[in-house]
Amino acid sequence: MRILLDTHIFLWFISGDTRLSNNVRDAIREPDNEVYLSAVSIWETIVKYQSGKLPLPEHPGTYLPKQRDLHQIVSLALDESSVAQLAKLPPLHRDPFDRMLICQALQNGLTIATVDAVVRAYQVSVI
């Protein structure tokens, strides 16, 4: 399986948060799965950190890539073809970060790991 982590899933995973289901945790750890973290999630986390809404143990510019590498999660860049998917996306979700993750999942054939019910309303594979 090729999995794109929603931002909250990545943060729960690296912090050991109990809100992360065993099913998703196991899927992330499964060596046969390809697990991705979007540059969009890094952007979202930095915005929330800078606004004071998200405390982190270190500055996100170093902490997030370090954690991604530590857990062997692949960085997924935001490219033009993924952004172009936005024109086809119905306006069900208001969060621009989540909308871009949905676009990336659609463009790249990825399954999104999320608990966001609105993301689940799109025609995208979700765990």
Side-chain angles (χ1 to χ4, degrees), residues 2 104-111:
R2 300 176 69 230
Q104 286 185 295
L106 291 169
Q107 181 63 32
N108 296 287
L110 304 172
T111 297

Side-chain angles (χ1 to χ4, degrees), residues 1-2 14 17 27 52 58 62 65 87 100 103 115 117 126:
M1 184 180 339
R2 300 176 69 230
I14 64 174
D17 195 302
E58 296 175 48
T62 53
M100 288 314 312
C103 289
V115 298
V126 178

Side-chain angles (χ1 to χ4, degrees), residues 12 31 36 47:
W12 290 354
Y36 297 88
V47 167

Side-chain angles (χ1 to χ4, degrees), residues 17-43:
D17 195 302
T18 57
R19 290 176 286 183
L20 184 63
S21 73
N22 290 335
N23 181 47
V24 173
R25 182 177 293 108
D26 292 346
I28 295 169
R29 290 182 176 158
E30 171 57 52
D32 291 335
N33 289 341
E34 296 175 27
V35 182
Y36 297 88
L37 180 70
S38 173
V40 172
S41 290
I42 302 297
W43 175 19

Side-chain angles (χ1 to χ4, degrees), residues 8 10 13 16 30-31 48 53 62 65 76 88 105-106 114 127:
H8 65 276
F10 175 69
F13 180 74
E30 171 57 52
K48 288 182 179 180
K53 294 179 182 178
T62 53
L76 180 65
K88 303 174 193 172
L106 291 169
T114 188
I127 59 166

Side-chain angles (χ1 to χ4, degrees), residues 11 44-56 97:
L11 294 172
E44 178 181 17
T45 303
I46 290 171
V47 167
K48 288 182 179 180
Y49 175 84
Q50 289 177 333
S51 70
K53 294 179 182 178
L54 180 64
L56 294 171
F97 298 112

Side-chain angles (χ1 to χ4, degrees), residues 91-97 99 118 122:
L92 303 175
H93 208 307
R94 291 184 164 187
D95 185 309
F97 298 112
R99 290 175 59 82
V118 181
Y122 284 90

